[in-house]
């Protein structure tokens, strides 16, 4: 077993040495790393693996590094080796911290975590997995021990820091509504914000864009394929036929969002029924590929047709859609950035209702208040403006929230 573990340790040390520490995602400082069982889920490509390795690099030095082990279950090594043997070896040889990446590749991952928690007292475990991961109700004992976090792609604020253009603290939503003019004047006095915002929409949501010199959108298409072909069947019991239909559903929607497509026609094209179609739709949402907007918060166990369907983020739009509509792009960005920490609903008038209180219309420079002029707490999120006035807020500023 020593030689086999040496292989994993070598891979771990190699990846650790190559891990940059010049930029940390927003979630890094929010996690209480002292908790004994921590879960981090999120869409593929958002930087979860880097987050784990950065924490190890920050926390463990010198001989203390022997106490930590990082493994990724998508490594082919685990096709012929059992992770339980690795855990046993690490624990009995003085290991105190175990970092498990891509845990959804282990079919019974919830049982695995529960057994580790029960059988190895004092062992701290941090794991990452697909955003599709859900704790089953039967795993209540596990949920009581678990501190769960969800990671998104880069916000516009993070993108500016990642590009070493400008470093800003996150702006609370309520402060943005009241102080946006002064904030925008300060920021626009330092950078050409609209130029950076345009590039962020095109490439900036997934941090790995810096490592890809050509074929970036092809890589994003591969990410979408992997979510459907690998993550989906690893998390849910689905057939090859369902996987094929889910891929087709995503591409059909990419051509027709955000107005609600005629779903019955799509179901006929997919040769499926409404119930199965909705399950695939919500699976694409859980996988970080779609955003579903409704007039109330949907329960995963009570699926109903959304009022509007969006691709998850602007960058994925450019990867999946040959022609990106500007209006759709604006709404997609706004929805994506607000949904990170706020409830977003589909209102009777306007485009988005935030936290059941604030109504927003999203549009270009010439957008007017006509549709929402008599509604309290109503605002415009306007594109192609550097600074706003009163209830007219520059669209790019909603990328400063996290």
């Amino acid at each position: 077993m020593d030689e086999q573990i040496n292989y994993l340790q070598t891979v771990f040390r190699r990846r650790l040495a190559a891990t940059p520490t010049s930029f940390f995602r927003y979630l890094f400082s929010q996690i209480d790393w002292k908790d004994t069982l921590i879960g981090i889920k999120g869409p593929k490509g958002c930087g979860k693996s880097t987050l784990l390795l950065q924490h190890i690099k920050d926390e463990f030095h010198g001989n203390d590094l022997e106490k930590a082990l990082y493994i990724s279950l998508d490594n082919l090594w685990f096709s012929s080796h059992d992770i339980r043997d690795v855990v046993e070896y690490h624990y009995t040889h003085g290991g105190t911290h175990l970092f498990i990446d891509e845990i959804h590749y282990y079919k019974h991952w919830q049982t695995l975590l529960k057994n580790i928690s029960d059988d190895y007292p004092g062992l701290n475990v941090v794991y990452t997995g697909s955003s599709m991961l859900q704790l089953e109700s039967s795993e209540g004992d596990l949920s009581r021990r678990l501190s769960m976090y969800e990671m998104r792609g880069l916000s516009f604020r993070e993108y500016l820091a990642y590009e070493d253009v400008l470093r800003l603290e996150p702006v609370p939503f309520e402060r943005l509504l009241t102080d946006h003019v002064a904030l925008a004047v300060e920021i626009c006095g330092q950078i050409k914000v609209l130029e950076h915002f345009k590039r962020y929409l095109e490439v900036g949501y997934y941090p790995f864009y810096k490592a890809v010199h050509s074929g970036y959108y092809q890589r994003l298409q591969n990410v979408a394929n992997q979510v459907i072909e690998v993550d989906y069947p690893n998390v849910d019991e689905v057939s090859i036929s369902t996987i094929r239909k889910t891929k087709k559903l995503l591409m059909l929607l990419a051509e027709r969002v955000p107005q609600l497509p005629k779903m019955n026609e799509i179901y006929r094209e997919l040769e499926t029924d409404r119930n199965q179609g909705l399950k695939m739709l919500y699976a694409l949402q859980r996988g970080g590929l779609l955003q579903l907007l409704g007039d109330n918060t949907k329960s995963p166990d009570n699926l109903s047709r959304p009022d509007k369907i969006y691709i998850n983020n602007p960058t994925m739009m450019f990867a999946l859609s040959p022609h990106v509509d500007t209006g759709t792009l604006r709404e997609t960005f706004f929805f994506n950035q607000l949904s990170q920490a706020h409830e977003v609903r589909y209102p009777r008038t306007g485009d988005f209702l935030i936290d059941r209180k604030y109504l927003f219309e999203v549009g270009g420079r010439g957008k007017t208040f006509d549709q929402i002029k008599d509604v309290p707490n109503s605002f415009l999120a306007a594109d192609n403006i550097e600074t706003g006035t009163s209830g007219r807020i520059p669209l790019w500023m909603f990328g400063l929230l996290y």
Side-chain angles (χ1 to χ4, degrees):
M1 192 66 187
D2 283 0
E3 289 184 8
Q4 296 169 351
I5 293 296
N6 283 342
Y7 165 76
L8 292 178
Q9 290 173 333
T10 299
V11 172
F12 161 41
R13 301 294 172 84
R14 189 182 299 141
R15 291 193 65 171
L16 191 67
T19 298
T21 55
S22 57
F23 170 78
F24 293 85
R25 292 299 316 278
Y26 74 97
L27 199 60
F28 187 88
S29 60
Q30 295 180 11
I31 295 173
D32 187 348
W33 295 101
K34 294 185 178 64
D35 287 334
T36 55
L37 182 58
I38 297 170
I40 305 167
K41 67 177 184 176
K44 195 169 294 294
C46 70
K48 301 185 297 297
S49 304
T50 300
L51 186 76
L52 292 192
L53 291 163
Q54 285 178 328
H55 169 67
I56 296 170
K57 209 167 188 175
D58 182 64
E59 186 70 20
F60 298 90
H61 307 280
N63 292 333
D64 281 347
L65 190 56
E66 298 290 335
K67 298 178 180 179
L69 179 64
Y70 164 92
I71 55 177
S72 183
L73 297 190
D74 65 348
N75 190 318
L76 281 174
W77 190 88
F78 286 101
S79 63
S80 58
H81 298 82
D82 195 326
I83 182 179
R84 291 172 296 183
D85 295 333
V86 176
V87 178
E88 175 72 18
Y89 183 95
H90 182 56
Y91 185 77
T92 55
H93 285 74
T96 60
H97 290 74
L98 179 65
F99 299 85
I100 307 173
D101 212 355
E102 306 281 14
I103 200 168
H104 55 281
Y105 277 77
Y106 192 88
K107 193 161 188 65
H108 303 292
W109 63 274
Q110 297 183 47
T111 303
L112 172 69
L113 289 175
K114 187 175 183 304
N115 289 344
I116 292 175
S117 186
D118 289 339
D119 299 343
Y120 300 95
L123 182 63
N124 291 67
V125 177
V126 184
Y127 73 88
T128 75
S130 165
S131 53
M132 287 189 168
L133 290 183
Q134 292 178 310
L135 279 178
E136 301 297 335
S137 56
S138 60
E139 296 294 339
D141 189 42
L142 180 60
S143 66
R144 285 191 291 273
R145 315 176 201 183
L146 174 65
S147 295
M148 193 73 199
Y149 298 87
E150 186 160 8
M151 193 172 187
R152 298 291 189 99
L154 291 174
S155 67
F156 181 47
R157 181 194 70 84
E158 289 184 297
Y159 169 81
L160 292 173
Y162 193 40
E163 286 287 301
D164 203 22
V165 172
L166 184 67
R167 293 185 181 269
L168 302 164
E169 291 298 314
V171 179
F173 179 62
E174 300 279 354
R175 185 188 171 204
L176 181 63
L177 299 184
T178 57
D179 296 347
H180 66 87
V181 175
L183 285 167
V185 169
E186 181 182 349
I187 292 169
C188 293
Q190 301 176 67
I191 64 171
K192 294 180 179 179
V193 72
L194 296 182
E195 175 185 323
H196 294 292
F197 184 54
K198 180 178 183 296
R199 185 167 185 268
Y200 164 77
L201 294 176
E202 293 173 354
V203 304
Y205 191 71
Y206 298 90
F208 68 83
Y209 74 86
K210 276 194 174 183
V212 181
H213 301 291
S214 63
Y216 176 57
Y217 290 150
Q218 181 60 53
R219 282 281 299 274
L220 284 180
Q221 290 173 17
N222 293 341
V223 165
N225 276 328
Q226 194 166 4
V227 168
I228 297 170
E229 295 177 354
V230 179
D231 293 5
Y232 191 14
N234 273 331
V235 173
D236 293 341
E237 293 288 342
V238 293
S239 65
I240 294 175
S241 173
T242 297
I243 294 170
R244 177 181 56 79
K245 290 176 181 179
T246 305
K247 290 175 67 174
K248 186 175 181 180
L249 174 61
L250 177 64
M251 297 315 298
L252 288 172
L253 292 172
E255 298 169 0
R256 306 177 192 185
V257 296
Q259 298 301 326
L260 185 64
K262 295 178 180 178
M263 297 305 295
N264 288 335
E265 292 182 7
I266 289 181
Y267 297 153
R268 281 195 295 272
E269 286 187 58
L270 296 174
E271 297 179 349
T272 192
D273 58 22
R274 178 184 180 277
N275 185 53
Q276 185 62 26
L278 285 173
K279 286 182 179 179
M280 291 188 290
L281 198 63
Y282 278 81
L284 289 170
Q285 179 193 43
R286 285 163 45 211
L289 298 176
L290 292 182
Q291 300 183 98
L292 307 181
L293 182 66
D295 61 3
N296 56 60
T297 304
K298 307 294 193 300
S299 163
D301 300 320
N302 184 25
L303 306 183
S304 56
R305 193 185 79 164
D307 293 287
K308 268 189 174 181
I309 301 170
Y310 295 85
I311 298 301
N312 179 271
N313 61 81
T315 306
M316 186 61 77
M317 280 184 71
F318 281 100
L320 298 180
S321 307
H323 305 290
V324 174
D325 176 75
T326 302
T328 304
L329 184 69
R330 293 164 177 158
E331 291 182 24
T332 299
F333 165 77
F334 183 90
F335 187 10
N336 173 271
Q337 298 289 286
L338 267 294
S339 62
Q340 192 273 333
H342 297 270
E343 181 187 86
V344 184
R345 293 191 175 200
Y346 183 69
R348 293 180 180 178
T349 58
D351 291 323
F352 300 98
L353 181 63
I354 308 301
D355 296 333
R356 309 189 193 191
K357 181 178 180 181
Y358 302 103
L359 185 67
F360 281 88
E361 274 279 318
V362 179
R365 176 191 293 269
K367 188 74 173 180
T368 68
F369 278 90
D370 289 351
Q371 288 181 273
I372 55 174
K373 60 183 178 180
D374 299 322
V375 182
N377 295 316
S378 58
F379 299 86
L380 287 182
D383 196 11
N384 292 320
I385 61 171
E386 290 188 334
T387 59
T389 56
S390 186
R392 187 182 186 84
I393 305 173
L395 180 64
W396 62 265
M397 297 195 77
F398 293 93
L400 306 179
L401 298 175
Y402 73 90

